[in-house]
Amino acid sequence: MPFPLRRLPISLLFIAVASACQSQSQPPRLIEMPRYSVSVNPGNPPSLTISRDRQPIFVLPIVSGLASSSQDEQLSSIDFSIHQTGASWELNATAQSSLWTNRRFQWRFFPDRIEFQQFATGHGKLGRNYFLSNGVSNRWDKGTTQGHTWDATIYADRYFAPNPNHANQFEFSIAMPQILGFSVGREPQSEQDFRPERLTGIFAPPPLLLAFHNGSDATNSWTGIGIGARPGDYQFPALEYTGSRYAGASFFVDYMGYRELSGDFASPVLAITFADSPLNALQSYTAWLDQSGFSTQPTEKDVPWHHLPIFCGWAEQTVESVPQGEAPNTMATQQNYQKWLDILEERKLPIGTIVIDDKWQQAYGTFEIDQDKWPSMKAFVAAQHAKGRHVLLWVPVAETDGLPEALCVEAQGKCVTANVGSPDYETYLRPRIRHLIQDIGIDGFKEDWVGAPAAPNLPLTGPATGIEFVRRFQWIIYSEAHKWKPDAMIETQTTNALFRESSDLIRLNDIWYATRNVADVLRVRASIAHISGWPLVDTDNASSTTLKDWWSYMQAQPTIGIPALYFVSRTESTQESPTEEQWTELANLWRSYIDNLKKQP
């Protein structure tokens, strides 16, 4: 039966347990579960050793810090208690805080997972919410933490991140940091820096999970660490992992002062799950998100035309412009797209969806057609509809180009982003989307340049901060497009279960020039999207590599997702042109793909 141990000094805790439990077995220092075990270790602070197959994976402090926007928290006088409820155990802890009036921490040990959450009461703007540490350990010292014992010790040999990058690397040394979400500017990129941990993730945001491999286990043993929150509470740009170095590792999200504590605060929940492969860890994490109410569900039914092959003109825009020293976005004209479609019609390619890419707009932020480039977009769209095709427009997230000053978020006298959370911005954007859908005939949008403001103290309109900033923008686009065209297509790269409500399909995103195993890389990306809740994926096709690798990928596309073509003349990097025989075979592949679609119920 449950046996609470309440607010005993650490040094007396297990003595009290022994004296109080003479008639029954002592509440455990060791919790045994089918897939893991946990040892509760006294100390300053008390810690948990999490093991699999009797091999330790993590040693974690039972308390974690909650910083304000200006300083980290110091914790002291830690008490905890353990009790059993049915097949699960619960550890509750309290501590004295240097910042907040009350602090509480809860660990729950279920047969298939472990959950951690922290709580605070007080007043002030929130900074970093740490998990499994009370600060950030630096590479070679304790950093802002109270020492090594206050950080996460990781015995795993490597980890998997469901966060594709242009280096095509999914597994990393535990010393490598990782940002799952939008970069906060602490690790600036440059063209000279191709280290994978410096490259921005292609899925934005990806699932907020890392899966750690237990190197001492001869079998395949992976342990996931991921977080979840109620929709509306993802008011941080990313889950960040510092890497594990001299003083251990830290995990945290950063509210950057945008979320204010006035009373009670409950952190996101951290889940530790157990699996035999990285993708299986992602499956367990996704199931946990769904059963916990930490995700959203699709709002529209599947539409047959969404499955049809796609032509996007972006790669052809670069093929024709870059050798001439021109910008690719200058090539997004009605004349060019009509020319390219005429060529593809001659090759008898059965295209179902056309994506007009960067830049059909007069200004990126206004959703207004550039009449010089597109003198009659309405007629162009109508002509495609007459041929059974659909047309999407490429749009970036929350761009400021052309935006009225009143709708901007300003920093140092510059408009740095659209004020997405403002009702005035929504009032501005919705009729422009309606005009494109209802009057011009556009069938949807392809979203790109996905990012959130990741600097503190911007005058953002809450709660549209962090990941919720992108979610708000995407919901405006999605709901308005589907209001006027119920079968509209909104194509995104937000492969996070929070975004299912506002995304019809996921684009697998760019193929970087150096990639030589394209199909294998894109299959992993597709698996991440499928597990996260998207049955339908656009296989994408930019930036293509060698002709050999491009052709191998084109042949594999129908087994991965929706076939897609991005150029009509030659590859971007090697400037090679497919043969007539390859174009003929591609048309046959696409017709066979469409025939198979018709056979499906």
Side-chain angles (χ1 to χ4, degrees):
M1 69 178 189
F3 190 92
L5 308 175
R6 301 196 180 277
R7 301 193 61 80
L8 295 173
I10 298 301
S11 60
L12 299 178
L13 176 63
F14 290 105
I15 296 174
V17 169
S19 62
C21 299
Q22 296 177 357
S23 62
Q24 60 179 2
S25 61
Q26 179 176 323
R29 291 189 183 190
L30 182 66
I31 298 173
E32 293 272 13
M33 289 295 185
R35 306 203 70 178
Y36 68 93
S37 63
V38 178
S39 174
V40 184
N41 314 309
N44 184 30
S47 64
L48 305 174
T49 299
I50 299 174
S51 301
R52 295 188 67 183
D53 302 316
R54 303 190 183 283
Q55 298 293 331
I57 309 168
F58 309 119
V59 177
L60 310 172
I62 69 170
V63 296
S64 296
L66 178 65
S68 72
S69 59
S70 59
Q71 58 184 314
D72 275 318
E73 177 186 38
Q74 303 298 307
L75 296 167
S76 60
S77 303
I78 302 165
D79 293 335
F80 70 89
S81 65
I82 307 171
H83 69 269
Q84 186 175 12
T85 304
S88 65
W89 290 84
E90 189 170 298
L91 185 155
N92 290 287
T94 60
Q96 295 295 313
S97 169
S98 61
L99 295 179
W100 316 111
T101 56
N102 288 292
R103 293 289 273 121
R104 181 168 63 89
F105 310 86
Q106 182 183 67
W107 289 85
R108 303 173 73 190
F109 305 98
F110 299 96
D112 65 334
R113 70 188 186 280
I114 300 169
E115 292 182 2
F116 168 75
Q117 189 174 22
Q118 59 168 303
F119 307 86
T121 302
H123 297 272
K125 293 183 176 181
L126 296 180
R128 290 175 177 169
N129 178 157
Y130 296 101
F131 301 94
L132 318 180
S133 76
N134 82 319
V136 170
S137 60
N138 292 335
R139 294 181 180 181
W140 298 111
D141 60 42
K142 68 178 183 179
T144 65
T145 74
Q146 290 172 253
H148 178 81
T149 58
W150 294 80
D151 300 330
T153 299
I154 297 177
Y155 289 97
D157 64 326
R158 65 187 187 273
Y159 70 87
F160 169 89
N163 190 26
N165 55 54
H166 284 151
N168 302 317
Q169 185 166 350
F170 292 95
E171 293 188 10
F172 303 83
S173 156
I174 64 168
M176 287 188 176
Q178 189 78 214
I179 297 176
L180 298 168
F182 307 115
S183 175
V184 293
R186 283 186 283 277
E187 294 284 352
Q189 298 183 59
S190 76
E191 287 298 315
Q192 288 73 42
D193 191 350
F194 275 79
R195 285 178 287 176
E197 74 270 25
R198 294 286 185 94
L199 291 172
T200 302
I202 289 174
F203 290 162
L208 306 182
L209 167 85
L210 299 177
F212 291 84
H213 180 261
N214 186 358
S216 60
D217 191 348
T219 61
N220 223 1
S221 176
W222 294 81
T223 303
I225 292 181
I227 64 168
R230 296 285 177 184
D233 287 341
Y234 288 82
Q235 296 172 34
F236 44 83
L239 171 62
E240 301 189 53
Y241 168 66
T242 61
S244 181
R245 303 191 184 185
Y246 183 78
S250 304
F251 300 80
F252 60 89
V253 299
D254 196 342
Y255 292 103
M256 297 184 295
Y258 294 121
R259 182 162 180 173
E260 188 158 358
L261 174 54
S262 181
D264 296 328
F265 168 78
S267 76
V269 182
L270 178 139
I272 300 175
T273 54
F274 306 94
D276 55 15
S277 74
L279 293 179
N280 181 242
L282 180 59
Q283 287 175 325
S284 297
Y285 168 71
T286 304
W288 171 74
L289 290 175
D290 289 340
Q291 72 185 41
S292 302
F294 296 157
S295 59
T296 65
Q297 298 304 318
T299 54
E300 300 292 340
K301 295 180 180 180
D302 186 38
V303 177
W305 75 260
H306 289 186
H307 296 251
L308 296 175
I310 296 169
F311 169 68
C312 173
W314 174 248
E316 190 63 26
Q317 290 178 219
T318 67
V319 163
E320 295 196 16
S321 64
V322 172
Q324 308 302 320
E326 299 178 10
N329 65 6
T330 62
M331 307 299 292
T333 67
Q334 184 169 343
Q335 182 179 7
N336 280 338
Y337 271 79
Q338 188 60 63
K339 175 183 70 175
W340 300 332
L341 287 169
D342 289 344
I343 293 171
L344 296 178
E345 284 181 3
E346 290 177 6
R347 293 172 181 161
K348 297 181 171 55
L349 273 167
I351 296 164
T353 299
I354 299 159
V355 179
I356 301 172
D357 216 284
D358 176 14
K359 177 189 181 192
W360 56 271
Q361 306 97 319
Q362 189 175 38
Y364 283 122
T366 64
F367 283 63
E368 292 177 343
I369 299 168
D370 186 333
Q371 297 294 336
D372 291 334
K373 288 183 174 180
W374 289 87
S376 185
M377 183 178 283
K378 183 175 182 177
F380 174 88
V381 172
Q384 304 313 313
H385 286 172
K387 296 178 181 181
R389 300 171 183 158
H390 297 78
V391 181
L392 307 185
L393 296 179
W394 173 93
V395 293
V397 170
E399 282 296 309
T400 62
D401 180 28
L403 205 62
E405 184 176 343
L407 303 179
C408 283
V409 174
E410 293 192 357
Q412 299 179 342
K414 295 182 179 180
C415 181
V416 295
T417 188
N419 194 356
V420 168
S422 166
D424 291 340
Y425 179 77
E426 182 176 355
T427 299
Y428 173 87
L429 195 55
R430 283 190 180 275
R432 294 162 185 268
I433 298 167
R434 174 182 177 178
H435 169 68
L436 291 170
I437 296 289
Q438 195 173 42
D439 299 331
I440 304 301
I442 293 300
D443 299 291
F445 300 95
K446 170 187 172 182
E447 188 180 84
D448 201 1
W449 295 3
V450 184
N457 302 316
L458 295 175
L460 299 174
T461 301
T465 62
I467 291 172
E468 295 290 349
F469 178 94
V470 176
R471 181 174 171 236
R472 181 62 185 164
F473 176 89
Q474 191 164 297
W475 174 249
I476 293 172
I477 298 288
Y478 187 92
S479 60
E480 192 66 23
H482 281 272
K483 179 179 179 180
W484 302 108
K485 186 167 287 190
D487 68 342
M489 177 195 288
I490 306 300
E491 180 175 355
T492 77
Q493 58 202 53
T494 50
T495 316
N496 180 296
L498 179 67
F499 289 82
R500 294 178 190 148
E501 65 181 3
S502 58
S503 171
D504 294 303
L505 76 160
I506 289 294
R507 57 173 299 222
L508 299 185
N509 219 294
D510 293 351
I511 304 158
W512 208 235
Y513 303 100
T515 305
R516 294 295 181 265
N517 55 336
V518 179
D520 291 343
V521 170
L522 273 291
R523 286 188 197 279
V524 177
R525 294 187 195 176
S527 294
I528 293 169
H530 293 329
I531 293 169
S532 298
W534 279 266
L536 197 57
V537 298
D538 171 3
T539 56
D540 234 311
N541 200 212
S543 301
S544 59
T545 58
T546 68
L547 179 62
K548 176 183 176 182
D549 288 291
W550 171 82
W551 180 236
S552 176
Y553 181 50
M554 296 304 290
Q555 292 174 299
Q557 279 184 345
T559 68
I560 299 173
I562 305 168
L565 174 68
Y566 273 55
F567 68 82
V568 299
S569 59
R570 57 189 181 274
T571 62
E572 292 168 271
S573 58
T574 57
Q575 303 288 295
E576 298 173 276
S577 297
T579 65
E580 289 303 317
E581 290 77 12
Q582 286 173 322
W583 287 119
T584 299
E585 186 173 345
L586 182 61
N588 291 334
L589 280 171
W590 281 18
R591 281 192 289 271
S592 177
Y593 167 83
I594 293 170
D595 288 342
N596 288 332
L597 288 179
K598 294 176 181 177
K599 295 176 184 177
Q600 296 176 9

